[in-house]
Amino acid sequence: MAEKQGSSITRKSFFCLFLTTTMLFVLSWLFVLRSTGHSGFFDRKLLPTEKLRTVINNGNSESSSQSNVESSNGSSRAILANNEEGEGEEPPKREEGFQDKDGAMNCNGNVKEPLKIFMYDLDPDFHFGLLDWKPEGGSVWPDIRTSIPSYPGGLNLQHSIEYWLTLDLLASEISDNPNNRVAIRVQNSSEADLIFIPFFSSLSYNRFSKVNPHQKRSKNKVLQAKLVKFVTAQKEWKMSGGRDHVIMAHHPNSMLNARMQLWPAIFILADFGRYPLNIANVNKDVIAPYKHVIKSYVNDTSDFDSRKTLLFFQGAIYRKDGGFARQELYYLLRDEKDVHFSFGSVKKDGVNKASQGMHSSKFCLNIAGDTPSSNRLFDAIASHCVPVIISDEIELPYEDVLNYSEFCLFVRTSDALKEKFLINLIRSIKKEEWTRMWEKLKEVEPLFEFQYPSKEGDAVQMIWQSLAHKVPAIKMKVNKSRRYFHSVPRRERGLRTIPAPHNFW
Ligand SMILES: *[C@@H]1O[C@H](CO)[C@@H](O)[C@H](O)[C@H]1NC(C)=O
Ligand SMILES: *[C@@H]1O[C@H](CO)[C@@H](O)[C@H](O)[C@H]1NC(C)=O
Ligand SMILES: *[C@@H]1O[C@H](CO)[C@@H](O)[C@H](O)[C@H]1NC(C)=O
Ligand SMILES: *[C@@H]1O[C@H](CO)[C@@H](O)[C@H](O)[C@H]1NC(C)=O
Ligand SMILES: CC(=O)N[C@H]1CO[C@H](CO)[C@@H](O)[C@@H]1O
């Protein structure tokens, strides 16, 4: 993506000129329509603008020129807003991607501002305290210039986005080059684009779900209840109904209780498998990668012929829910000589073996387990082992800017379960095509790396950018929700008493 931007500035400004002209044309046309008295048409249908927008969105998948539509004249947005009926929430398609706010250049070639994020100063119990860090000198945050508390290793790390994102925000305040950042922390919430809730919910689930003998509820549940109480009482939450709040809930079981009460917020998730559609969905929320547990393949000089295993799978064979496909596939594939199935999850000492296996395989299977996603996909990417994805409901990180078909094979479960279908498909991919996918894997691998300090285009920055893409739509939602500020405030909004509407977004 990065290389595209540089070379397309001239194309872009040309495109901008075209866009501006078209918009002016359409607007003047609409104006004529209105003055000829077709008010019914004007209020309800708005077909031309909708169509135009579809064209705009399709024509530019990187959406970096869309900001020009907004700035060319605000009236198009005003039309949209007037078209709305009362409190009802509209379907998401309408304004998605219409305006844009990301690290990309706008039409004048200026680099845009970083995403401004206000972070609640939550008690350390909710974040670094869970890493056994003790507050010192009255601050709830560790002084990351002196030492950085470490996140527990092993499988905990899969869901550690909470740690990397929070560290990155803290670092943005001591960075010597704040202009180079995708997201910065601001201390005044009225200047912020988004409000960040720094609860390490996955770690809380992983470590504190047990109910000890002297407790009524687990610490994980107590923390969630406290969090809901705190957050919904804040003026920031009340101002926006929570719509501009960001909650990290990467482990599918994290925030199990609080999610039903904090649903207006943006969740950062691994997938939507355990969420009702009205609580979390692809329009409102952000999908983040797992942190891979397999070692990265540094200086990968392998090739099609040196990777001896055709197809590699590691995981539990028997899973509940959607995981039945694993068992079926095992029976279909177990007699193929260059296919490797290994059972059980990757444990401490298993990492080396699994790394070796993935580093010496051409294709790596990803079959839906208990949930549509798993860290296996990200292990495969880190190993440059072409992922074969059999998970119909999977949602992938950054899919708005990344074409996964360039480096993954997608197979419908129903197809994969046909006799010989999968193995024939995989055998039909010859050296040249495989090598193209392998090259692409090496190219995209950095997008999935979590690290501190974060680097340009790594997972931390990509997640901030995914959030930045949501900001214009959120701001509009918030403005809309505040039209009736004279009326009795609906303070219960978002709490248990009010069910989530179907089309909140
Ligand atoms: C925060 O920003 C707003 C608007 O810029 C300003 O009115 C307010 O005084 C600021 N608050 C603080 C505590 O600086
Ligand atoms: C990878 O290659 C670079 C440059 O050739 C070298 O400095 C580095 O040590 C290598 N890393 C590994 C893990 O082999
Ligand atoms: C994505 O990549 C695949 C494989 O290279 C290609 O066939 C497809 O046209 C691409 N899709 C888009 C939208 O560019
Ligand atoms: C929301 O309202 C504020 C003024 O309160 C305005 O500055 C801003 O542009 C509006 N945003 C959108 C997306 O309409
Ligand atoms: C953002 C912008 O350019 N707005 C302009 C839209 O058009 C009206 C009237 O033509 C101007 O007053 C605005 O400044």
Side-chain angles (χ1 to χ4, degrees):
M1 295 164 301
E3 79 266 34
K4 262 194 212 151
Q5 264 166 25
S7 69
S8 64
I9 293 178
T10 31
R11 242 185 34 217
K12 206 172 268 173
S13 39
F14 190 75
F15 185 61
C16 289
L17 185 68
F18 167 76
L19 265 184
T20 318
T21 340
T22 323
M23 279 305 288
L24 281 176
F25 173 73
V26 171
L27 283 173
S28 53
W29 187 46
L30 282 175
F31 188 73
V32 169
L33 273 180
R34 175 149 68 174
S35 56
T36 53
H38 287 80
S39 61
F41 169 82
F42 190 73
D43 286 347
R44 299 266 65 164
K45 299 252 171 62
L46 278 168
L47 277 173
T49 11
E50 297 242 323
K51 272 220 184 97
L52 175 70
R53 195 163 331 119
T54 322
V55 173
I56 293 168
N57 288 343
N58 291 347
N60 186 346
S61 60
E62 304 206 5
S63 68
S64 45
S65 69
Q66 285 155 10
S67 49
N68 195 44
V69 178
E70 182 186 14
S71 62
S72 67
N73 202 318
S75 7
S76 58
R77 198 172 51 205
I79 292 167
L80 253 189
N82 287 341
N83 188 36
E84 256 323 299
E85 54 283 306
E87 270 275 274
E89 309 280 357
E90 73 209 85
K93 282 196 297 263
R94 284 247 187 100
E95 72 275 345
E96 220 209 340
F98 186 42
Q99 308 123 4
D100 190 21
K101 170 163 187 13
D102 59 7
M105 285 182 226
N106 64 17
C107 276
N108 305 322
N110 299 328
V111 175
K112 281 204 206 157
E113 299 224 312
L115 183 66
K116 296 199 200 78
I117 296 187
F118 174 80
M119 176 159 71
Y120 287 125
D121 287 319
L122 289 184
D123 189 281
D125 273 357
F126 289 97
H127 44 86
F128 289 98
L130 296 169
L131 307 175
D132 301 326
W133 172 78
K134 298 273 181 300
E136 49 208 33
S139 170
V140 298
W141 300 109
D143 182 354
I144 55 173
R145 282 166 302 192
T146 52
S147 81
I148 298 169
S150 57
Y151 198 86
L155 293 182
N156 285 307
L157 274 175
Q158 298 180 81
H159 302 292
S160 55
I161 64 153
E162 48 202 28
Y163 174 72
W164 307 107
L165 291 182
T166 308
L167 276 181
D168 195 52
L169 280 185
L170 293 175
S172 73
E173 292 183 304
I174 54 169
S175 163
D176 27 357
N177 190 1
N179 295 331
N180 232 359
R181 301 195 139 264
V182 181
I184 55 169
R185 182 182 182 195
V186 295
Q187 293 290 351
N188 183 340
S189 63
S190 55
E191 290 161 10
D193 298 311
L194 295 172
I195 313 288
F196 187 80
I197 303 180
F199 175 37
F200 291 0
S201 61
S202 299
L203 190 62
S204 171
Y205 171 77
N206 275 334
R207 283 201 148 175
F208 301 105
S209 287
K210 278 217 190 76
V211 184
N212 290 333
H214 58 281
Q215 294 172 322
K216 265 212 201 107
R217 292 185 299 168
S218 67
K219 180 168 172 181
N220 180 41
K221 281 191 177 166
V222 172
L223 282 176
Q224 288 179 61
K226 271 191 189 166
L227 186 74
V228 170
K229 196 163 164 225
F230 172 85
V231 169
T232 53
Q234 300 308 301
K235 68 174 192 304
E236 288 81 8
W237 180 274
K238 289 176 181 164
M239 292 263 282
S240 67
R243 290 170 178 82
D244 58 358
H245 282 51
V246 178
I247 295 174
M248 301 168 289
H250 200 263
H251 191 294
N253 290 344
S254 62
M255 298 293 276
L256 208 51
N257 306 83
R259 65 174 67 158
M260 302 311 279
Q261 292 162 61
L262 300 179
W263 58 264
I266 309 163
F267 292 118
I268 306 184
L269 303 173
D271 60 56
F272 299 116
R274 295 188 184 160
Y275 283 79
L277 197 62
N278 51 351
I279 299 294
N281 58 67
V282 74
N283 295 306
K284 175 170 83 73
D285 305 304
V286 166
I287 297 293
Y290 290 63
K291 181 171 167 54
H292 61 84
V293 293
I294 296 288
K295 289 187 197 126
S296 302
Y297 199 158
V298 187
N299 301 343
D300 177 3
T301 53
S302 71
D303 63 16
F304 189 76
D305 300 310
S306 75
R307 289 179 175 245
K308 297 290 182 204
T309 306
L310 178 69
L311 181 61
F312 181 91
F313 174 79
Q314 163 121 37
I317 294 292
Y318 302 100
R319 296 308 274 265
K320 50 186 191 292
D321 302 337
F324 85 101
R326 293 186 175 194
Q327 197 174 336
E328 295 294 309
L329 279 166
Y330 169 63
Y331 291 122
L332 284 173
L333 295 171
R334 63 179 170 181
D335 294 330
E336 304 290 338
K337 62 177 189 327
D338 42 4
V339 171
H340 175 93
F341 261 87
S342 66
F343 305 117
S345 59
V346 178
K347 300 244 167 61
K348 283 160 249 140
D349 46 330
V351 170
N352 276 334
K353 260 182 91 184
S355 302
Q356 239 170 33
M358 286 187 151
H359 290 188
S360 56
S361 302
K362 297 181 181 72
F363 296 93
C364 285
L365 257 188
N366 280 273
I367 318 171
D370 299 349
T371 56
S373 73
S374 83
N375 75 315
R376 214 160 289 111
L377 169 64
F378 306 98
D379 285 340
I381 293 173
S383 313
H384 315 145
C385 176
V386 174
V388 178
I389 298 176
I390 304 174
S391 179
D392 302 347
E393 305 296 323
I394 197 168
E395 293 290 345
L396 298 162
Y398 344 125
E399 207 171 359
D400 52 342
V401 294
L402 206 54
N403 181 355
Y404 278 81
S405 299
E406 290 175 356
F407 54 90
C408 297
L409 282 184
F410 290 88
V411 185
R412 283 199 187 84
T413 309
S414 55
D415 287 336
L417 296 181
K418 290 175 191 151
E419 188 89 16
K420 291 284 175 191
F421 182 94
L422 186 62
I423 197 73
N424 287 345
L425 176 74
I426 289 171
R427 287 200 202 283
S428 75
I429 292 168
K430 297 293 182 249
K431 184 168 181 169
E432 194 190 335
E433 189 178 356
W434 182 88
T435 307
R436 221 179 307 129
M437 296 176 103
W438 172 76
E439 296 280 4
K440 192 74 192 174
L441 277 171
K442 293 205 291 184
E443 195 184 312
V444 300
E445 177 194 353
L447 305 179
F448 302 95
E449 286 303 335
F450 289 92
Q451 56 210 333
Y452 177 82
S454 72
K455 295 201 184 109
E456 195 178 338
D458 68 3
V460 171
Q461 300 205 355
M462 289 297 287
I463 293 170
W464 291 134
Q465 286 198 3
S466 302
L467 284 167
H469 290 158
K470 307 268 181 204
V471 166
I474 289 166
K475 283 192 172 161
M476 199 165 109
K477 286 281 164 200
V478 171
N479 280 9
K480 234 179 79 178
S481 73
R482 298 181 63 202
R483 284 179 188 167
Y484 298 101
F485 63 95
H486 293 298
S487 338
V488 183
R490 292 172 62 180
R491 297 186 46 209
E492 292 302 297
R493 206 158 182 170
L495 294 181
R496 192 178 336 177
T497 44
I498 301 204
H502 267 299
N503 55 352
F504 178 68
W505 280 83

